[in-house]
Amino acid sequence: MAAPVTDQIAKLEAARHLVLSDSAHYAAIVPGILPIIGAQSHLEIRRWGADFLAEAFASPALSLQGKESLSVQVLQTLKELLELPNEDTGVLKSVIQAAASIYGLIFRYIINNPLDSQTWDRMASIKSNILKRWDSATTGVRICCIKFVQRVVQVQTPGIIADPRRPEQNEISLALVPRDHPLIPPPNLEAEASGLLDRLLNVFYEGSSDAVLVNATLNCLSVLVRTRGSIANKIVSTVLSFNPLKLANTPMSPKSKVHIKSMERTTRAFLMNVYRRNENGPFAARIKQHVDRLTQTRMDILDEGSRKRGAPVEPTDGLDDAKRRRLGAEVNTQKSIPPLPPGPTSIAQLYTLTNEEGLRSFDVTQLPIDLVVRIALPVLQRIDQGLLNEAVEGVRLRYLALGKSQQTQTQGPKTLPITSGLDEEEDDYEPDFEPTEDSEQILNKEDGLSALEVRQEPKDLALGPFKLPQPPPLTSEEAEKLGKGTISRVFSMMSVLEEPTKAPKPGLHRLAGSNYDKEAWITVITRLATRASSGLQDAEDEIKNEAEQNGTIATHKGHSLADGIRETLWKYVIEDFRIRIPIAIAWLNEEWYNDRMIEKQSASSNEQNGGLTSHPQNYEKWVLKLLDGIVPYLDAKDKVLIRFLSEIPGISEAVLERIKNIARDPDRVTLAVNAIHYLVLLRPPVREMCLDTLEDMWRNYDDARAPTRKLLAKWRPHVLEAAPTTISEPSPPDEPSAPTKQAMATSAVAAVG
């Protein structure tokens, strides 16, 4: 029996080589070999046939039209091979791979042939058989099942239609299926794809330790993220919640360590691939943080051995490890520091301690500063303290030698004696340099020398501390210009910063501005505007008083920078006040707090000095200016006003006057009444002022009488009872029914809440 099987496989191999040389023969050879490789054939032939079909439908040489026509013919053979009991693993893997390749082709065929139910039933039977094997088969078969499921999810999820006029050129997806298709209704298929995707992602929630299945799933998910944007966010969120190093806390065998490293590497590659495709996407920051966390955790847990310094290749202490060391041998542990090159020395040459030409010629300034910081900090943490001390000592010795050489150059060369016309005996003459004057004459002579002459005397020179000269003083106009430039740069940086990725820590014990994000910069700017100029008003008043006494005009502007910040901050909030209203609330809270602190300090200083000084109230000024900028753009259903009034620290009559003026517009009467009603309910300290405002609106605004009457009837009924009869209530032509009144009350409560 072996000889006929061998002969058949040889003939089949000849047919395979023929189609590999010319893909046009696939249309004749594939239908011809299907009866030979069927379920009743020998195992070796079935293996060859399954491998051949998987190779044929994965070949790029065969056109899509040719694959689509052949896929309908091989369905029955694939179905029979899958249904064989105790089928060989190699056959199953190749059959499932072939089914994954033809699933999209059968899907397109059914879209164009909605009446061929027999073909779709065969494909559905194959799909059901593969899904049953997904959880119970061997690892190799399960990997093929994961690939098949990825292809099903990709086909049964809506994709992008590039050209509706040419459907044959578009990618196969659920978007090509008509809504009334009798065999493949889109809602059912989309629901099935969603369920299969959840089942595919379940491997990350279970915390599986099978690295092969996890890696296979990640490799398949990368295709779905790239081709199906509608499910990409769900996939990326699930992978971000997966920690491949979770099992590293348990005792690890060498095999489990390899599995964990493999899962971590594949997860990191998947996330970095997603990050590089869209570096400005919604998950970019989370992906970067997750990848950095994985890298750091892997280094801390799995790479402990790589952080240890290995044994040197050559003996560094003058002794050979292969020989027995002698006691008392002198060991040279100092690292050799290369000498400085001749000629002028730069700062880079002074601190360069390596002889390697590649490192000496490398320009570090080409690297971005954040990358340099990320490299330098771990190196400094792990560097050997002895090597660092030797390097510092070497640089210090270089610096001292450089200072001595500069001192020698400053003194200049010694003058040689003139020997022309003199005998050789006279060259040996050395005169005595003993002074002929006594000590008193020498001191008198030194006192008569000028400072320049004394400085020119030779003496020991040493490098002293260098101090930068003081910068020239700035005029007030230059300081104001530089301050405005700084403010504009800070606000331009705020516009490109992202919102905080996580909610701030609630409570009074959190530290403001500690996350270095957009909220931190807002805190810095608001406090620069409010607290930076605190206390300058007294100095300004003193300058003004002194100028008046001297008859001059004081040009000092103590609050120009702070007012400039406030003005820029006001414009920044007004540009998009519905989004930036929290910034306005934080700013006004700082202003109110700063005004209270200044009042407290002023009261204390007035008691000590017996004077009476007043300070401008910045909170009142800017809260009114913000209201004047916001109110004209509010509509009748806007909730921004209620939030603004509920969170600012102080409500004054001027603020209520601005709110009352909104009632001049008949369309926004309800907005004004609801805002004041909210303050009446939830801010008791200003309740009486708010009720006075409601009473004024009831008396002077015809359109506001109906909504304010209900509130006054609850809080001040005596006002309505004592009202003159000349005030006539506007009565509608028909009294609304009870359901209509209930609906009006419900809408009013919803507007207030």
Side-chain angles (χ1 to χ4, degrees), residues 703-725:
D703 296 321
R705 286 177 185 170
T708 55
R709 180 182 179 86
K710 300 177 182 179
L711 302 179
L712 292 175
K714 178 180 179 181
W715 297 97
R716 288 187 178 179
H718 61 278
V719 174
L720 300 179
E721 295 173 358
T725 57

Side-chain angles (χ1 to χ4, degrees), residues 291-519:
V291 170
D292 293 343
R293 192 184 309 114
L294 285 178
T295 304
Q296 185 63 36
T297 307
R298 175 179 56 82
M299 294 176 62
D300 294 341
I301 298 178
L302 299 178
D303 293 349
E304 293 180 356
S306 62
R307 293 202 302 269
K308 298 179 181 178
R309 297 180 60 195
V313 179
E314 298 179 356
T316 59
D317 53 3
L319 301 176
D320 193 352
D321 291 336
K323 299 179 180 179
R324 183 175 180 180
R325 297 188 179 183
R326 292 173 298 154
L327 297 178
E330 295 183 359
V331 178
N332 183 20
T333 59
Q334 185 174 4
K335 182 179 178 64
S336 61
I337 304 297
L340 288 173
T345 303
S346 64
I347 298 295
Q349 291 173 337
L350 178 63
Y351 286 94
T352 300
L353 304 179
T354 179
N355 289 323
E356 191 171 345
E357 189 61 29
L359 293 176
R360 295 170 68 94
S361 60
F362 180 70
D363 188 6
V364 186
T365 59
Q366 300 297 325
L367 297 177
I369 188 63
D370 55 345
L371 180 59
V372 174
V373 173
R374 292 179 59 186
I375 294 174
L377 290 181
V379 170
L380 290 177
Q381 291 175 357
R382 297 169 185 164
I383 194 171
D384 187 9
Q385 186 64 33
L387 291 177
L388 181 60
N389 294 336
E390 292 177 9
V392 173
E393 182 66 18
V395 174
R396 189 181 70 84
L397 295 176
R398 281 184 171 187
Y399 188 76
L400 294 177
L402 187 61
K404 291 181 179 179
S405 64
Q406 290 179 354
Q407 175 182 350
T408 305
Q409 293 176 4
T410 304
Q411 292 178 355
K414 296 181 179 180
T415 305
L416 297 176
I418 301 175
T419 61
S420 61
L422 298 178
D423 296 333
E424 292 182 358
E425 289 96 2
E426 294 180 355
D427 292 343
D428 299 333
Y429 172 71
E430 295 180 359
D432 295 332
F433 287 99
E434 295 181 358
T436 58
E437 301 91 353
D438 56 6
S439 60
E440 185 176 357
Q441 291 176 346
I442 293 175
L443 292 176
N444 293 334
K445 184 178 180 180
E446 289 180 354
D447 292 338
L449 293 177
S450 63
L452 180 60
E453 292 173 345
V454 173
R455 245 191 336 262
Q456 289 177 350
E457 291 182 356
K459 59 181 181 178
D460 294 336
L461 298 178
L463 293 176
F466 176 74
K467 294 183 179 180
L468 288 174
Q470 294 292 332
L474 295 176
T475 62
S476 30
E477 290 78 9
E478 292 176 343
E480 184 176 355
K481 182 178 180 181
L482 292 175
K484 290 181 179 178
T486 303
I487 296 169
S488 62
R489 286 196 300 272
V490 172
F491 275 94
S492 63
M493 183 176 60
M494 279 179 52
S495 60
V496 300
L497 286 176
E498 297 182 358
E499 295 295 333
T501 56
K502 58 181 180 180
K505 180 181 178 182
L508 300 176
H509 297 287
R510 70 184 184 94
L511 184 61
S514 59
N515 294 330
Y516 303 101
D517 53 5
K518 187 173 184 179
E519 183 183 1

Side-chain angles (χ1 to χ4, degrees), residues 98-296:
S101 300
I102 70 174
Y103 185 80
L105 304 173
I106 296 297
F107 198 81
R108 185 194 291 273
Y109 173 81
I110 294 299
I111 293 174
N112 300 325
N113 300 273
L115 300 180
D116 192 354
S117 59
Q118 184 179 5
T119 300
W120 180 248
D121 291 341
R122 291 173 182 170
M123 189 71 249
S125 177
I126 293 173
K127 178 168 65 173
S128 176
N129 191 305
I130 295 174
L131 294 180
K132 290 179 181 178
R133 300 176 184 271
W134 187 3
D135 295 328
S136 58
T138 60
T139 302
V141 177
R142 294 178 68 183
I143 293 175
C144 298
C145 293
I146 290 173
K147 180 61 181 177
F148 178 80
V149 171
Q150 174 253 314
R151 186 58 181 161
V152 173
V153 173
Q154 183 179 356
V155 171
Q156 295 184 187
T157 304
I160 299 176
I161 299 179
D163 190 356
R165 298 169 298 178
R166 304 185 64 184
E168 71 280 356
Q169 299 294 332
N170 294 320
E171 183 186 10
I172 303 174
S173 70
L174 195 64
L176 302 177
V177 183
R179 303 300 296 178
D180 56 348
H181 199 285
L183 295 180
I184 47 175
N188 297 349
L189 295 182
E190 189 171 8
E192 182 186 16
S194 178
L196 290 176
L197 179 61
D198 292 339
R199 189 175 170 187
L200 193 64
L201 298 176
N202 195 38
V203 67
F204 302 112
Y205 295 112
E206 293 176 348
S208 175
S209 60
D210 193 339
V212 179
L213 295 180
V214 172
N215 293 342
T217 305
L218 286 171
N219 293 331
C220 292
L221 290 178
S222 62
V223 180
L224 295 178
V225 171
R226 186 177 68 253
T227 58
R228 295 294 180 263
S230 58
I231 59 177
N233 292 344
K234 180 179 181 180
I235 295 173
V236 175
S237 299
T238 304
V239 176
L240 285 175
S241 63
F242 172 63
N243 183 12
L245 301 174
K246 184 178 181 181
L247 299 176
N249 297 326
T250 60
M252 293 182 294
S253 62
K255 179 180 179 181
S256 62
K257 185 177 292 188
V258 171
H259 286 181
I260 292 173
K261 283 187 177 181
S262 176
M263 289 190 291
E264 186 272 336
R265 188 182 300 110
T266 308
T267 305
R268 184 155 38 87
F270 171 83
L271 293 175
M272 290 307 299
N273 185 28
V274 176
Y275 176 77
R276 292 191 186 99
R277 292 183 61 84
N278 188 7
E279 295 186 1
N280 298 323
F283 291 97
R286 289 183 58 190
I287 290 175
K288 199 71 172 62
Q289 294 175 1
H290 192 72
V291 170
D292 293 343
R293 192 184 309 114
L294 285 178
T295 304
Q296 185 63 36

Side-chain angles (χ1 to χ4, degrees), residues 61-116:
L62 185 58
S63 64
L64 288 178
Q65 290 77 10
K67 289 181 181 179
E68 184 175 333
S69 61
L70 292 176
S71 62
V72 179
Q73 303 178 37
V74 303
L75 271 181
Q76 183 62 30
T77 302
L78 296 178
K79 179 175 177 294
E80 292 175 356
L81 291 175
L82 280 175
E83 292 176 351
L84 278 178
N86 301 323
E87 182 56 288
D88 179 67
T89 302
V91 176
L92 290 177
K93 291 194 292 185
S94 298
V95 169
I96 295 174
Q97 292 180 50
S101 300
I102 70 174
Y103 185 80
L105 304 173
I106 296 297
F107 198 81
R108 185 194 291 273
Y109 173 81
I110 294 299
I111 293 174
N112 300 325
N113 300 273
L115 300 180
D116 192 354

